[in-house]
Amino acid sequence: MAETTVAELRAELAALEDPKMRAVNEKHGDDHGVNLGKLRAIAKRLKTQQDLARELWATGDTAARLLALLICRPKAFGRDELDAMLREARTPKVHDWLVNYVVKKGPHAEGLRQAWFADPDPVVASAGWALTSERVVKKPEGLDLSGLLDLIEARMKDAPDRLQWAMNHCLAQIGIEHAEHRARALDIGERLEVLKDYPTPPNCTSPFAPSWINEMVRRQDAH
């Protein structure tokens, strides 16, 4: 297979651009209009290409960066490189995929979790909280869950959107996964009322922590 160039891929992505989709995405802060299913199909065709991924990332284009995150080799990035990438990833979808598809799968997740958690930039801090939620579920040993609840109780209500969302997710996961902390997690959620009125489609679980916790626990008990 002939090597695909960054220019060819950017032209291919530009051809997939849908103005209606871009309008929807821009409401969430994501400046692209490419169908993610079609983006994943391109990634599947390209397979893993770390050098190409780095070149795509360097373009700064959101759709190109999303493609880069799908074809990169997560373990090939250095810690400082990932830190710089996160700080450059200003759109929510790029930020989200970088944390979930790359950082979580590489060797630097725990070091970056600790470094980002208390970062003064709330968007960077939200990545630290996202990695903490992952640990709450998968590897809670050594985490101070009571201390996390203290921080959430003190700071979540007035936190900027992305950080608030990540803290709320952590609150819900503590309540769902750790029965001994459930009553307190529910109480914090009820009192702070964060995302209580979030518009939730039918058959979807509300992100309001008490509703989310109770629904997930009900499903666990039903099995």
Side-chain angles (χ1 to χ4, degrees):
M1 169 178 145
E3 204 168 312
T4 316
T5 67
V6 170
E8 285 165 358
L9 287 170
R10 290 196 68 183
E12 189 172 353
L13 291 169
L16 292 174
E17 183 74 33
D18 173 353
K20 286 198 189 90
M21 192 171 281
R22 177 179 278 268
V24 172
N25 287 339
E26 282 184 342
K27 287 193 180 116
H28 306 292
D30 288 310
D31 54 348
H32 77 91
V34 178
N35 176 297
L36 295 178
K38 291 176 177 171
L39 190 82
R40 289 177 190 280
I42 297 173
K44 206 169 169 183
R45 185 186 83 217
L46 292 169
K47 302 191 171 68
T48 305
Q49 297 194 45
Q50 180 66 11
D51 292 345
L52 183 59
R54 280 200 170 101
E55 287 177 50
L56 284 166
W57 181 271
T59 65
D61 174 70
T62 293
R65 284 186 161 182
L66 291 171
L67 182 58
L69 295 170
L70 293 175
I71 66 166
C72 72
R73 189 173 284 109
K75 293 181 172 67
F77 292 105
R79 179 184 154 146
D80 291 349
E81 188 176 13
L82 289 169
D83 181 68
M85 288 167 74
L86 186 88
R87 290 170 195 283
E88 286 173 18
R90 298 323 290 178
T91 66
K93 185 65 77 182
V94 172
H95 179 276
D96 192 39
W97 283 20
L98 177 62
V99 172
N100 286 301
Y101 298 169
V102 183
V103 178
K104 278 182 185 176
K105 294 180 177 169
H108 306 294
E110 180 57 20
L112 288 170
R113 181 188 79 80
Q114 293 176 22
W116 289 339
F117 187 80
D119 196 274
D121 179 334
V123 176
V124 175
S126 74
W129 278 91
L131 293 169
T132 300
S133 295
E134 173 94 345
R135 266 201 64 187
V136 164
V137 176
K138 295 191 172 162
K139 211 167 70 173
E141 302 76 31
L143 281 181
D144 175 6
L145 297 178
S146 297
L148 287 172
L149 290 173
D150 290 343
L151 284 172
I152 291 166
E153 189 168 21
R155 299 182 190 166
M156 180 169 79
K157 182 87 176 168
D158 300 315
D161 285 357
R162 303 261 293 279
L163 180 54
Q164 184 184 66
W165 188 271
M167 291 173 105
N168 183 67
H169 188 199
C170 191
L171 174 65
Q173 294 296 13
I174 292 173
I176 293 162
E177 301 288 337
H178 301 279
E180 69 280 17
H181 294 285
R182 188 169 298 147
R184 187 176 172 210
L186 287 166
D187 176 61
I188 291 170
E190 290 288 0
R191 277 186 294 110
L192 298 186
E193 298 191 333
V194 167
L195 300 173
K196 188 173 185 177
D197 301 322
Y198 192 84
T200 305
N203 302 325
C204 291
T205 305
S206 166
F208 176 50
S211 305
W212 188 354
I213 293 167
N214 287 326
E215 173 59 20
M216 290 304 176
V217 171
R218 184 189 68 74
R219 286 187 203 174
Q220 287 168 2
D221 293 346
H223 281 304

